């Protein structure tokens, strides 16, 4: 399954739930390995400022997983371990729900952040992963030195070096750096 087909399948899955498409839209798809299988995973993000105002206390409801090998395997994940999934922190959030601003005010202002990607761990818990980098030569020569994870529901932050990163994190080196 290519990315374009995965996006169409995910949009179709969102359309199956009444009124979900009017308050949330599909975020950026990212290919990742989840439970030893390849999936395209995308968060459901606020469609605009009015939807954010209505839902900002909890966040948008869930995310979509599309198998990269089986077009019949499309899942809308709205509960994990019998608990509802609400993505409070996201790239379509506003004020302090906007992910880069949230990280900035949590102390990540003196190191570069790049390549924000939505990933899930093997227990299907949603996270945002951003590469941490430092510039080698002035404002150029970016070099990834680790990653930071943000729990998309609770906002819990963990920072890792490249050596001690959890195995479920799939992308650390941004393509632009390589």
């Amino acid at each position: 399954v290519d990315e374009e087909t995965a996006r169409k399948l995910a949009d179709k899955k969102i359309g199956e739930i009444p009124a979900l498409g009017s308050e949330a839209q599909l975020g950026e798809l990212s290919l990742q390995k989840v439970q030893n299988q390849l999936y395209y995973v995308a968060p459901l993000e606020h469609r605009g400022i009015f939807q954010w105002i209505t839902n900002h206390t909890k966040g948008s409801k869930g995310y979509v997983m599309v198998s990269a090998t089986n077009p019949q395997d499309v899942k809308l994940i709205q509960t994990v371990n019998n608990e509802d999934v609400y993505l409070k922190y996201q790239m379509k959030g506003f004020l302090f729900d906007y992910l880069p601003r949230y990280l900035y005010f949590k102390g990540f202002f003196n190191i570069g952040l790049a390549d924000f990607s939505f990933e899930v761990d093997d227990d299907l818990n949603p996270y945002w992963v951003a590469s941490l980098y430092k510039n080698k030569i002035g404002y150029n020569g970016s070099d990834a030195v680790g990653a930071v994870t943000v729990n998309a529901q609770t906002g819990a932050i963990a920072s890792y070096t490249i050596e001690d990163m959890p195995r479920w994190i799939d992308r650390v080196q941004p393509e632009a750096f390589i």
Side-chain angles (χ1 to χ4, degrees), residues 1-176:
V1 176
D2 66 341
E3 187 172 347
E4 182 180 338
T5 304
R7 178 164 289 285
K8 288 178 184 176
L9 291 169
D11 281 334
K12 184 177 177 183
K13 190 65 160 178
I14 292 170
E16 292 175 1
I17 308 295
L20 183 61
S22 65
E23 63 184 51
Q25 65 185 8
L26 194 64
E28 185 178 330
L29 287 167
S30 63
L31 183 62
Q32 54 194 271
K33 189 175 181 183
V34 180
Q35 298 171 344
N36 290 324
Q37 302 220 352
L38 286 177
Y39 283 94
Y40 288 99
V41 181
L44 293 181
E45 298 180 328
H46 300 296
R47 192 166 279 286
I49 184 92
F50 296 113
Q51 288 80 7
W52 175 79
I53 289 170
T54 305
N55 299 317
H56 81 277
T57 54
K58 286 186 175 181
S60 59
K61 182 107 169 95
Y63 58 91
V64 179
M65 294 176 62
V66 180
S67 173
T69 57
N70 180 3
Q72 307 303 319
D73 185 7
V74 182
K75 302 172 191 166
L76 175 60
I77 308 293
Q78 294 188 310
T79 58
V80 173
N81 298 327
N82 296 323
E83 292 185 25
D84 289 337
V85 174
Y86 288 100
L87 307 180
K88 181 166 175 57
Y89 302 97
Q90 54 184 270
M91 297 304 286
K92 293 279 185 167
F94 294 89
L95 299 177
F96 297 106
D97 294 349
Y98 177 58
L99 188 62
R101 185 175 295 127
Y102 177 75
L103 284 169
Y104 181 85
F105 283 108
K106 291 294 184 178
F108 290 88
F109 52 82
N110 61 352
I111 190 164
L113 293 166
D115 198 32
F116 291 89
S117 63
F118 183 79
E119 295 193 27
V120 296
D121 64 10
D122 285 335
D123 296 325
L124 302 182
N125 296 308
Y127 289 90
W128 286 97
V129 179
S131 298
L132 298 173
Y133 71 91
K134 291 189 177 183
N135 291 323
K136 290 182 177 179
I137 308 162
Y139 291 108
N140 294 318
S142 302
D143 185 33
V145 295
V148 62
T149 61
V150 178
N151 185 308
Q153 299 181 95
T154 65
I157 298 172
S159 182
Y160 303 98
T161 64
I162 290 178
E163 293 80 26
D164 68 351
M165 207 165 303
R167 294 183 53 89
W168 60 265
I169 296 177
D170 290 311
R171 188 168 63 190
V172 177
Q173 293 287 350
E175 193 175 325

